[in-house]
PDB file of all heavy atoms in Angstrom:
ATOM      1  N   PRO B 842      29.345  -3.293 -50.035  1.00 90.00           N
ATOM      2  CA  PRO B 842      29.733  -1.907 -50.307  1.00 90.00           C
ATOM      3  C   PRO B 842      28.586  -1.092 -50.905  1.00 90.00           C
ATOM      4  O   PRO B 842      28.438   0.095 -50.588  1.00 90.00           O
ATOM      5  CB  PRO B 842      30.890  -2.054 -51.301  1.00 90.00           C
ATOM      6  CG  PRO B 842      31.442  -3.415 -51.041  1.00 90.00           C
ATOM      7  CD  PRO B 842      30.257  -4.253 -50.673  1.00 90.00           C
ATOM      8  N   GLU B 843      27.771  -1.733 -51.754  1.00 93.00           N
ATOM      9  CA  GLU B 843      26.657  -1.012 -52.368  1.00 93.00           C
ATOM     10  C   GLU B 843      25.682  -0.499 -51.306  1.00 93.00           C
ATOM     11  O   GLU B 843      25.207   0.637 -51.382  1.00 93.00           O
ATOM     12  CB  GLU B 843      25.930  -1.912 -53.375  1.00 93.00           C
ATOM     13  CG  GLU B 843      26.732  -2.270 -54.610  1.00 93.00           C
ATOM     14  CD  GLU B 843      27.672  -3.444 -54.378  1.00 93.00           C
ATOM     15  OE1 GLU B 843      27.669  -4.000 -53.251  1.00 93.00           O
ATOM     16  OE2 GLU B 843      28.409  -3.802 -55.322  1.00 93.00           O
ATOM     17  N   ARG B 844      25.399  -1.351 -50.327  1.00 91.00           N
ATOM     18  CA  ARG B 844      24.484  -0.955 -49.255  1.00 91.00           C
ATOM     19  C   ARG B 844      25.091   0.192 -48.441  1.00 91.00           C
ATOM     20  O   ARG B 844      24.396   1.168 -48.103  1.00 91.00           O
ATOM     21  CB  ARG B 844      24.217  -2.157 -48.353  1.00 91.00           C
ATOM     22  CG  ARG B 844      23.395  -1.873 -47.106  1.00 91.00           C
ATOM     23  CD  ARG B 844      21.984  -1.469 -47.430  1.00 91.00           C
ATOM     24  NE  ARG B 844      21.190  -1.344 -46.223  1.00 91.00           N
ATOM     25  CZ  ARG B 844      19.998  -0.747 -46.176  1.00 91.00           C
ATOM     26  NH1 ARG B 844      19.467  -0.215 -47.279  1.00 91.00           N
ATOM     27  NH2 ARG B 844      19.337  -0.680 -45.042  1.00 91.00           N
ATOM     28  N   ALA B 845      26.372   0.104 -48.120  1.00 91.00           N
ATOM     29  CA  ALA B 845      27.029   1.163 -47.358  1.00 91.00           C
ATOM     30  C   ALA B 845      27.019   2.473 -48.128  1.00 91.00           C
ATOM     31  O   ALA B 845      26.760   3.541 -47.561  1.00 91.00           O
ATOM     32  CB  ALA B 845      28.462   0.754 -47.021  1.00 91.00           C
ATOM     33  N   HIS B 846      27.285   2.399 -49.441  1.00 94.00           N
ATOM     34  CA  HIS B 846      27.282   3.616 -50.248  1.00 94.00           C
ATOM     35  C   HIS B 846      25.897   4.248 -50.303  1.00 94.00           C
ATOM     36  O   HIS B 846      25.758   5.479 -50.229  1.00 94.00           O
ATOM     37  CB  HIS B 846      27.768   3.303 -51.661  1.00 94.00           C
ATOM     38  CG  HIS B 846      29.180   2.821 -51.714  1.00 94.00           C
ATOM     39  ND1 HIS B 846      29.746   2.263 -52.836  1.00 94.00           N
ATOM     40  CD2 HIS B 846      30.159   2.808 -50.746  1.00 94.00           C
ATOM     41  CE1 HIS B 846      31.004   1.934 -52.585  1.00 94.00           C
ATOM     42  NE2 HIS B 846      31.269   2.247 -51.321  1.00 94.00           N
ATOM     43  N   HIS B 847      24.869   3.419 -50.419  1.00 94.00           N
ATOM     44  CA  HIS B 847      23.499   3.937 -50.470  1.00 94.00           C
ATOM     45  C   HIS B 847      23.148   4.671 -49.177  1.00 94.00           C
ATOM     46  O   HIS B 847      22.620   5.805 -49.204  1.00 94.00           O
ATOM     47  CB  HIS B 847      22.519   2.791 -50.698  1.00 94.00           C
ATOM     48  CG  HIS B 847      21.084   3.187 -50.533  1.00 94.00           C
ATOM     49  ND1 HIS B 847      20.390   3.942 -51.451  1.00 94.00           N
ATOM     50  CD2 HIS B 847      20.195   2.947 -49.503  1.00 94.00           C
ATOM     51  CE1 HIS B 847      19.164   4.155 -51.025  1.00 94.00           C
ATOM     52  NE2 HIS B 847      19.023   3.562 -49.847  1.00 94.00           N
ATOM     53  N   LEU B 848      23.447   4.054 -48.035  1.00 93.00           N
ATOM     54  CA  LEU B 848      23.102   4.672 -46.754  1.00 93.00           C
ATOM     55  C   LEU B 848      23.904   5.959 -46.527  1.00 93.00           C
ATOM     56  O   LEU B 848      23.380   6.940 -45.996  1.00 93.00           O
ATOM     57  CB  LEU B 848      23.351   3.687 -45.620  1.00 93.00           C
ATOM     58  CG  LEU B 848      22.473   2.427 -45.618  1.00 93.00           C
ATOM     59  CD1 LEU B 848      22.891   1.494 -44.492  1.00 93.00           C
ATOM     60  CD2 LEU B 848      20.996   2.795 -45.489  1.00 93.00           C
ATOM     61  N   LEU B 849      25.175   5.943 -46.937  1.00 94.00           N
ATOM     62  CA  LEU B 849      25.985   7.148 -46.782  1.00 94.00           C
ATOM     63  C   LEU B 849      25.410   8.298 -47.597  1.00 94.00           C
ATOM     64  O   LEU B 849      25.333   9.442 -47.130  1.00 94.00           O
ATOM     65  CB  LEU B 849      27.426   6.859 -47.209  1.00 94.00           C
ATOM     66  CG  LEU B 849      28.450   7.973 -46.936  1.00 94.00           C
ATOM     67  CD1 LEU B 849      28.624   8.193 -45.445  1.00 94.00           C
ATOM     68  CD2 LEU B 849      29.783   7.645 -47.587  1.00 94.00           C
ATOM     69  N   GLY B 850      24.980   8.004 -48.823  1.00 95.00           N
ATOM     70  CA  GLY B 850      24.374   9.045 -49.657  1.00 95.00           C
ATOM     71  C   GLY B 850      23.095   9.588 -49.047  1.00 95.00           C
ATOM     72  O   GLY B 850      22.840  10.804 -49.095  1.00 95.00           O
ATOM     73  N   GLU B 851      22.276   8.711 -48.464  1.00 94.00           N
ATOM     74  CA  GLU B 851      21.038   9.171 -47.815  1.00 94.00           C
ATOM     75  C   GLU B 851      21.347  10.092 -46.646  1.00 94.00           C
ATOM     76  O   GLU B 851      20.656  11.100 -46.435  1.00 94.00           O
ATOM     77  CB  GLU B 851      20.219   7.960 -47.345  1.00 94.00           C
ATOM     78  CG  GLU B 851      19.625   7.121 -48.463  1.00 94.00           C
ATOM     79  CD  GLU B 851      18.649   7.918 -49.316  1.00 94.00           C
ATOM     80  OE1 GLU B 851      17.777   8.596 -48.739  1.00 94.00           O
ATOM     81  OE2 GLU B 851      18.778   7.877 -50.559  1.00 94.00           O
ATOM     82  N   LEU B 852      22.383   9.774 -45.895  1.00 95.00           N
ATOM     83  CA  LEU B 852      22.751  10.634 -44.770  1.00 95.00           C
ATOM     84  C   LEU B 852      23.248  11.992 -45.248  1.00 95.00           C
ATOM     85  O   LEU B 852      22.932  13.029 -44.654  1.00 95.00           O
ATOM     86  CB  LEU B 852      23.828   9.945 -43.924  1.00 95.00           C
ATOM     87  CG  LEU B 852      23.352   8.772 -43.065  1.00 95.00           C
ATOM     88  CD1 LEU B 852      24.538   8.034 -42.467  1.00 95.00           C
ATOM     89  CD2 LEU B 852      22.421   9.246 -41.955  1.00 95.00           C
ATOM     90  N   VAL B 853      24.029  12.020 -46.328  1.00 95.00           N
ATOM     91  CA  VAL B 853      24.515  13.292 -46.860  1.00 95.00           C
ATOM     92  C   VAL B 853      23.353  14.170 -47.304  1.00 95.00           C
ATOM     93  O   VAL B 853      23.267  15.353 -46.951  1.00 95.00           O
ATOM     94  CB  VAL B 853      25.496  13.063 -48.025  1.00 95.00           C
ATOM     95  CG1 VAL B 853      25.824  14.397 -48.704  1.00 95.00           C
ATOM     96  CG2 VAL B 853      26.771  12.405 -47.538  1.00 95.00           C
ATOM     97  N   PHE B 854      22.438  13.601 -48.105  1.00 96.00           N
ATOM     98  CA  PHE B 854      21.306  14.393 -48.585  1.00 96.00           C
ATOM     99  C   PHE B 854      20.456  14.893 -47.421  1.00 96.00           C
ATOM    100  O   PHE B 854      19.973  16.029 -47.426  1.00 96.00           O
ATOM    101  CB  PHE B 854      20.448  13.572 -49.549  1.00 96.00           C
ATOM    102  CG  PHE B 854      21.002  13.508 -50.938  1.00 96.00           C
ATOM    103  CD1 PHE B 854      21.296  12.296 -51.539  1.00 96.00           C
ATOM    104  CD2 PHE B 854      21.240  14.669 -51.663  1.00 96.00           C
ATOM    105  CE1 PHE B 854      21.811  12.240 -52.827  1.00 96.00           C
ATOM    106  CE2 PHE B 854      21.745  14.626 -52.947  1.00 96.00           C
ATOM    107  CZ  PHE B 854      22.041  13.405 -53.534  1.00 96.00           C
ATOM    108  N   SER B 855      20.257  14.062 -46.412  1.00 95.00           N
ATOM    109  CA  SER B 855      19.453  14.479 -45.257  1.00 95.00           C
ATOM    110  C   SER B 855      20.159  15.601 -44.499  1.00 95.00           C
ATOM    111  O   SER B 855      19.518  16.581 -44.089  1.00 95.00           O
ATOM    112  CB  SER B 855      19.212  13.287 -44.332  1.00 95.00           C
ATOM    113  OG  SER B 855      18.517  13.698 -43.167  1.00 95.00           O
ATOM    114  N   ALA B 856      21.482  15.491 -44.309  1.00 94.00           N
ATOM    115  CA  ALA B 856      22.222  16.519 -43.587  1.00 94.00           C
ATOM    116  C   ALA B 856      22.169  17.855 -44.316  1.00 94.00           C
ATOM    117  O   ALA B 856      22.101  18.926 -43.692  1.00 94.00           O
ATOM    118  CB  ALA B 856      23.666  16.080 -43.392  1.00 94.00           C
ATOM    119  N   LEU B 857      22.196  17.827 -45.640  1.00 95.00           N
ATOM    120  CA  LEU B 857      22.136  19.064 -46.420  1.00 95.00           C
ATOM    121  C   LEU B 857      20.807  19.792 -46.253  1.00 95.00           C
ATOM    122  O   LEU B 857      20.717  20.993 -46.507  1.00 95.00           O
ATOM    123  CB  LEU B 857      22.374  18.759 -47.906  1.00 95.00           C
ATOM    124  CG  LEU B 857      23.794  18.325 -48.279  1.00 95.00           C
ATOM    125  CD1 LEU B 857      23.840  17.826 -49.719  1.00 95.00           C
ATOM    126  CD2 LEU B 857      24.787  19.467 -48.093  1.00 95.00           C
ATOM    127  N   GLU B 858      19.772  19.070 -45.819  1.00 93.00           N
ATOM    128  CA  GLU B 858      18.445  19.676 -45.636  1.00 93.00           C
ATOM    129  C   GLU B 858      18.301  20.358 -44.273  1.00 93.00           C
ATOM    130  O   GLU B 858      17.351  21.113 -44.059  1.00 93.00           O
ATOM    131  CB  GLU B 858      17.356  18.602 -45.773  1.00 93.00           C
ATOM    132  CG  GLU B 858      17.194  18.035 -47.168  1.00 93.00           C
ATOM    133  CD  GLU B 858      16.458  18.973 -48.102  1.00 93.00           C
ATOM    134  OE1 GLU B 858      15.899  19.974 -47.610  1.00 93.00           O
ATOM    135  OE2 GLU B 858      16.444  18.721 -49.313  1.00 93.00           O
ATOM    136  N   ILE B 859      19.217  20.104 -43.347  1.00 92.00           N
ATOM    137  CA  ILE B 859      19.075  20.611 -41.979  1.00 92.00           C
ATOM    138  C   ILE B 859      19.804  21.951 -41.869  1.00 92.00           C
ATOM    139  O   ILE B 859      20.999  22.056 -42.173  1.00 92.00           O
ATOM    140  CB  ILE B 859      19.623  19.604 -40.960  1.00 92.00           C
ATOM    141  CG1 ILE B 859      18.853  18.275 -41.097  1.00 92.00           C
ATOM    142  CG2 ILE B 859      19.514  20.150 -39.538  1.00 92.00           C
ATOM    143  CD1 ILE B 859      19.366  17.173 -40.197  1.00 92.00           C
ATOM    144  N   ALA B 860      19.080  22.966 -41.420  1.00 91.00           N
ATOM    145  CA  ALA B 860      19.570  24.345 -41.494  1.00 91.00           C
ATOM    146  C   ALA B 860      20.866  24.561 -40.724  1.00 91.00           C
ATOM    147  O   ALA B 860      21.764  25.251 -41.197  1.00 91.00           O
ATOM    148  CB  ALA B 860      18.488  25.306 -40.998  1.00 91.00           C
ATOM    149  N   ASP B 861      20.985  24.008 -39.511  1.00 89.00           N
ATOM    150  CA  ASP B 861      22.169  24.308 -38.709  1.00 89.00           C
ATOM    151  C   ASP B 861      23.256  23.243 -38.829  1.00 89.00           C
ATOM    152  O   ASP B 861      24.202  23.218 -38.045  1.00 89.00           O
ATOM    153  CB  ASP B 861      21.796  24.522 -37.241  1.00 89.00           C
ATOM    154  CG  ASP B 861      21.207  23.282 -36.597  1.00 89.00           C
ATOM    155  OD1 ASP B 861      20.801  22.357 -37.339  1.00 89.00           O
ATOM    156  OD2 ASP B 861      21.148  23.224 -35.357  1.00 89.00           O
ATOM    157  N   PHE B 862      23.146  22.337 -39.823  1.00 92.00           N
ATOM    158  CA  PHE B 862      24.224  21.395 -40.124  1.00 92.00           C
ATOM    159  C   PHE B 862      25.115  22.005 -41.201  1.00 92.00           C
ATOM    160  O   PHE B 862      24.634  22.390 -42.267  1.00 92.00           O
ATOM    161  CB  PHE B 862      23.669  20.070 -40.651  1.00 92.00           C
ATOM    162  CG  PHE B 862      23.219  19.109 -39.580  1.00 92.00           C
ATOM    163  CD1 PHE B 862      22.962  19.549 -38.292  1.00 92.00           C
ATOM    164  CD2 PHE B 862      23.023  17.775 -39.877  1.00 92.00           C
ATOM    165  CE1 PHE B 862      22.520  18.675 -37.319  1.00 92.00           C
ATOM    166  CE2 PHE B 862      22.587  16.881 -38.911  1.00 92.00           C
ATOM    167  CZ  PHE B 862      22.337  17.326 -37.627  1.00 92.00           C
ATOM    168  N   GLU B 863      26.391  22.110 -40.939  1.00 92.00           N
ATOM    169  CA  GLU B 863      27.355  22.527 -41.952  1.00 92.00           C
ATOM    170  C   GLU B 863      28.057  21.270 -42.457  1.00 92.00           C
ATOM    171  O   GLU B 863      28.840  20.644 -41.740  1.00 92.00           O
ATOM    172  CB  GLU B 863      28.362  23.505 -41.366  1.00 92.00           C
ATOM    173  CG  GLU B 863      29.389  23.994 -42.378  1.00 92.00           C
ATOM    174  CD  GLU B 863      30.410  24.933 -41.754  1.00 92.00           C
ATOM    175  OE1 GLU B 863      30.113  25.497 -40.686  1.00 92.00           O
ATOM    176  OE2 GLU B 863      31.495  25.082 -42.346  1.00 92.00           O
ATOM    177  N   VAL B 864      27.766  20.885 -43.700  1.00 93.00           N
ATOM    178  CA  VAL B 864      28.274  19.639 -44.262  1.00 93.00           C
ATOM    179  C   VAL B 864      29.598  19.908 -44.975  1.00 93.00           C
ATOM    180  O   VAL B 864      29.691  20.801 -45.819  1.00 93.00           O
ATOM    181  CB  VAL B 864      27.257  19.019 -45.238  1.00 93.00           C
ATOM    182  CG1 VAL B 864      27.797  17.719 -45.829  1.00 93.00           C
ATOM    183  CG2 VAL B 864      25.925  18.763 -44.531  1.00 93.00           C
ATOM    184  N   GLU B 865      30.624  19.129 -44.635  1.00 93.00           N
ATOM    185  CA  GLU B 865      31.938  19.245 -45.259  1.00 93.00           C
ATOM    186  C   GLU B 865      32.205  17.974 -46.064  1.00 93.00           C
ATOM    187  O   GLU B 865      32.273  16.870 -45.510  1.00 93.00           O
ATOM    188  CB  GLU B 865      33.027  19.444 -44.211  1.00 93.00           C
ATOM    189  CG  GLU B 865      32.844  20.715 -43.385  1.00 93.00           C
ATOM    190  CD  GLU B 865      33.949  20.903 -42.357  1.00 93.00           C
ATOM    191  OE1 GLU B 865      34.967  20.175 -42.442  1.00 93.00           O
ATOM    192  OE2 GLU B 865      33.785  21.760 -41.478  1.00 93.00           O
ATOM    193  N   LEU B 866      32.357  18.117 -47.378  1.00 92.00           N
ATOM    194  CA  LEU B 866      32.548  16.971 -48.276  1.00 92.00           C
ATOM    195  C   LEU B 866      33.964  16.897 -48.830  1.00 92.00           C
ATOM    196  O   LEU B 866      34.227  16.104 -49.736  1.00 92.00           O
ATOM    197  CB  LEU B 866      31.538  17.050 -49.434  1.00 92.00           C
ATOM    198  CG  LEU B 866      30.061  16.957 -49.013  1.00 92.00           C
ATOM    199  CD1 LEU B 866      29.148  17.174 -50.209  1.00 92.00           C
ATOM    200  CD2 LEU B 866      29.770  15.598 -48.370  1.00 92.00           C
ATOM    201  N   SER B 867      34.876  17.708 -48.307  1.00 91.00           N
ATOM    202  CA  SER B 867      36.262  17.628 -48.760  1.00 91.00           C
ATOM    203  C   SER B 867      36.884  16.312 -48.294  1.00 91.00           C
ATOM    204  O   SER B 867      36.453  15.728 -47.297  1.00 91.00           O
ATOM    205  CB  SER B 867      37.056  18.817 -48.218  1.00 91.00           C
ATOM    206  OG  SER B 867      36.991  18.847 -46.802  1.00 91.00           O
ATOM    207  N   PRO B 868      37.891  15.817 -49.014  1.00 90.00           N
ATOM    208  CA  PRO B 868      38.491  14.525 -48.644  1.00 90.00           C
ATOM    209  C   PRO B 868      39.051  14.532 -47.227  1.00 90.00           C
ATOM    210  O   PRO B 868      39.631  15.509 -46.777  1.00 90.00           O
ATOM    211  CB  PRO B 868      39.610  14.346 -49.681  1.00 90.00           C
ATOM    212  CG  PRO B 868      39.208  15.206 -50.837  1.00 90.00           C
ATOM    213  CD  PRO B 868      38.485  16.383 -50.246  1.00 90.00           C
ATOM    214  N   VAL B 869      38.869  13.405 -46.540  1.00 90.00           N
ATOM    215  CA  VAL B 869      39.446  13.251 -45.208  1.00 90.00           C
ATOM    216  C   VAL B 869      40.939  12.965 -45.373  1.00 90.00           C
ATOM    217  O   VAL B 869      41.326  12.097 -46.162  1.00 90.00           O
ATOM    218  CB  VAL B 869      38.764  12.093 -44.461  1.00 90.00           C
ATOM    219  CG1 VAL B 869      39.409  11.893 -43.090  1.00 90.00           C
ATOM    220  CG2 VAL B 869      37.268  12.362 -44.314  1.00 90.00           C
ATOM    221  N   PRO B 870      41.800  13.697 -44.684  1.00 91.00           N
ATOM    222  CA  PRO B 870      43.245  13.481 -44.839  1.00 91.00           C
ATOM    223  C   PRO B 870      43.645  12.032 -44.573  1.00 91.00           C
ATOM    224  O   PRO B 870      43.149  11.388 -43.638  1.00 91.00           O
ATOM    225  CB  PRO B 870      43.870  14.426 -43.806  1.00 91.00           C
ATOM    226  CG  PRO B 870      42.820  15.480 -43.588  1.00 91.00           C
ATOM    227  CD  PRO B 870      41.504  14.785 -43.733  1.00 91.00           C
ATOM    228  N   LEU B 871      44.549  11.517 -45.393  1.00 91.00           N
ATOM    229  CA  LEU B 871      45.012  10.134 -45.225  1.00 91.00           C
ATOM    230  C   LEU B 871      45.679   9.941 -43.866  1.00 91.00           C
ATOM    231  O   LEU B 871      45.629   8.848 -43.291  1.00 91.00           O
ATOM    232  CB  LEU B 871      45.984   9.775 -46.349  1.00 91.00           C
ATOM    233  CG  LEU B 871      45.386   9.728 -47.768  1.00 91.00           C
ATOM    234  CD1 LEU B 871      46.476   9.435 -48.782  1.00 91.00           C
ATOM    235  CD2 LEU B 871      44.274   8.683 -47.848  1.00 91.00           C
ATOM    236  N   GLU B 872      46.289  11.015 -43.352  1.00 90.00           N
ATOM    237  CA  GLU B 872      46.947  10.903 -42.055  1.00 90.00           C
ATOM    238  C   GLU B 872      45.959  10.548 -40.950  1.00 90.00           C
ATOM    239  O   GLU B 872      46.310   9.848 -39.994  1.00 90.00           O
ATOM    240  CB  GLU B 872      47.655  12.218 -41.701  1.00 90.00           C
ATOM    241  CG  GLU B 872      48.837  12.562 -42.604  1.00 90.00           C
ATOM    242  CD  GLU B 872      48.397  13.214 -43.908  1.00 90.00           C
ATOM    243  OE1 GLU B 872      47.168  13.381 -44.110  1.00 90.00           O
ATOM    244  OE2 GLU B 872      49.276  13.562 -44.715  1.00 90.00           O
ATOM    245  N   LEU B 873      44.715  11.028 -41.076  1.00 90.00           N
ATOM    246  CA  LEU B 873      43.712  10.711 -40.053  1.00 90.00           C
ATOM    247  C   LEU B 873      43.378   9.231 -40.069  1.00 90.00           C
ATOM    248  O   LEU B 873      43.302   8.589 -39.019  1.00 90.00           O
ATOM    249  CB  LEU B 873      42.443  11.543 -40.286  1.00 90.00           C
ATOM    250  CG  LEU B 873      41.270  11.236 -39.358  1.00 90.00           C
ATOM    251  CD1 LEU B 873      41.649  11.476 -37.902  1.00 90.00           C
ATOM    252  CD2 LEU B 873      40.054  12.081 -39.732  1.00 90.00           C
ATOM    253  N   TRP B 874      43.179   8.677 -41.256  1.00 88.00           N
ATOM    254  CA  TRP B 874      42.883   7.239 -41.338  1.00 88.00           C
ATOM    255  C   TRP B 874      44.045   6.423 -40.780  1.00 88.00           C
ATOM    256  O   TRP B 874      43.840   5.417 -40.092  1.00 88.00           O
ATOM    257  CB  TRP B 874      42.598   6.836 -42.781  1.00 88.00           C
ATOM    258  CG  TRP B 874      41.377   7.473 -43.361  1.00 88.00           C
ATOM    259  CD1 TRP B 874      41.317   8.336 -44.415  1.00 88.00           C
ATOM    260  CD2 TRP B 874      40.019   7.296 -42.936  1.00 88.00           C
ATOM    261  NE1 TRP B 874      40.024   8.716 -44.666  1.00 88.00           N
ATOM    262  CE2 TRP B 874      39.199   8.088 -43.774  1.00 88.00           C
ATOM    263  CE3 TRP B 874      39.416   6.548 -41.923  1.00 88.00           C
ATOM    264  CZ2 TRP B 874      37.813   8.153 -43.628  1.00 88.00           C
ATOM    265  CZ3 TRP B 874      38.031   6.604 -41.784  1.00 88.00           C
ATOM    266  CH2 TRP B 874      37.247   7.401 -42.621  1.00 88.00           C
ATOM    267  N   ALA B 875      45.271   6.855 -41.091  1.00 89.00           N
ATOM    268  CA  ALA B 875      46.436   6.134 -40.578  1.00 89.00           C
ATOM    269  C   ALA B 875      46.484   6.192 -39.056  1.00 89.00           C
ATOM    270  O   ALA B 875      46.806   5.204 -38.389  1.00 89.00           O
ATOM    271  CB  ALA B 875      47.715   6.723 -41.177  1.00 89.00           C
ATOM    272  N   THR B 876      46.138   7.343 -38.482  1.00 88.00           N
ATOM    273  CA  THR B 876      46.115   7.477 -37.023  1.00 88.00           C
ATOM    274  C   THR B 876      45.064   6.567 -36.399  1.00 88.00           C
ATOM    275  O   THR B 876      45.282   5.972 -35.340  1.00 88.00           O
ATOM    276  CB  THR B 876      45.844   8.942 -36.632  1.00 88.00           C
ATOM    277  OG1 THR B 876      46.861   9.772 -37.186  1.00 88.00           O
ATOM    278  CG2 THR B 876      45.820   9.109 -35.126  1.00 88.00           C
ATOM    279  N   LEU B 877      43.903   6.465 -37.070  1.00 86.00           N
ATOM    280  CA  LEU B 877      42.826   5.605 -36.557  1.00 86.00           C
ATOM    281  C   LEU B 877      43.120   4.134 -36.785  1.00 86.00           C
ATOM    282  O   LEU B 877      42.473   3.265 -36.181  1.00 86.00           O
ATOM    283  CB  LEU B 877      41.501   5.983 -37.230  1.00 86.00           C
ATOM    284  CG  LEU B 877      40.974   7.391 -36.944  1.00 86.00           C
ATOM    285  CD1 LEU B 877      39.726   7.670 -37.771  1.00 86.00           C
ATOM    286  CD2 LEU B 877      40.664   7.571 -35.470  1.00 86.00           C
ATOM    287  N   GLY B 878      44.065   3.824 -37.675  1.00 86.00           N
ATOM    288  CA  GLY B 878      44.425   2.433 -37.934  1.00 86.00           C
ATOM    289  C   GLY B 878      43.442   1.697 -38.811  1.00 86.00           C
ATOM    290  O   GLY B 878      43.333   0.464 -38.716  1.00 86.00           O
ATOM    291  N   VAL B 879      42.707   2.420 -39.660  1.00 86.00           N
ATOM    292  CA  VAL B 879      41.754   1.787 -40.573  1.00 86.00           C
ATOM    293  C   VAL B 879      42.030   2.286 -41.986  1.00 86.00           C
ATOM    294  O   VAL B 879      42.560   3.380 -42.181  1.00 86.00           O
ATOM    295  CB  VAL B 879      40.295   2.099 -40.185  1.00 86.00           C
ATOM    296  CG1 VAL B 879      39.964   1.506 -38.844  1.00 86.00           C
ATOM    297  CG2 VAL B 879      40.058   3.609 -40.159  1.00 86.00           C
TER     298      VAL B 879
END
């Protein structure tokens, strides 16, 4: 989990640097995870 968290954070910071990327950090609805089955 530590490795996954580190890589996820690096991707977020990198995305925030890209001008035409609109980053959304609001929680993902639980219904979506249930639909995906994970």
Side-chain angles (χ1 to χ4, degrees):
E843 292 83 2
R844 174 66 174 166
H846 297 168
H847 170 74
L848 295 176
L849 188 65
E851 291 298 312
L852 287 170
V853 171
F854 280 122
S855 176
L857 291 170
E858 292 284 349
I859 301 176
D861 63 344
F862 277 18
E863 181 182 340
V864 180
E865 299 181 12
L866 297 175
S867 58
V869 178
L871 294 177
E872 293 82 359
L873 175 60
W874 296 117
T876 301
L877 296 175
V879 295

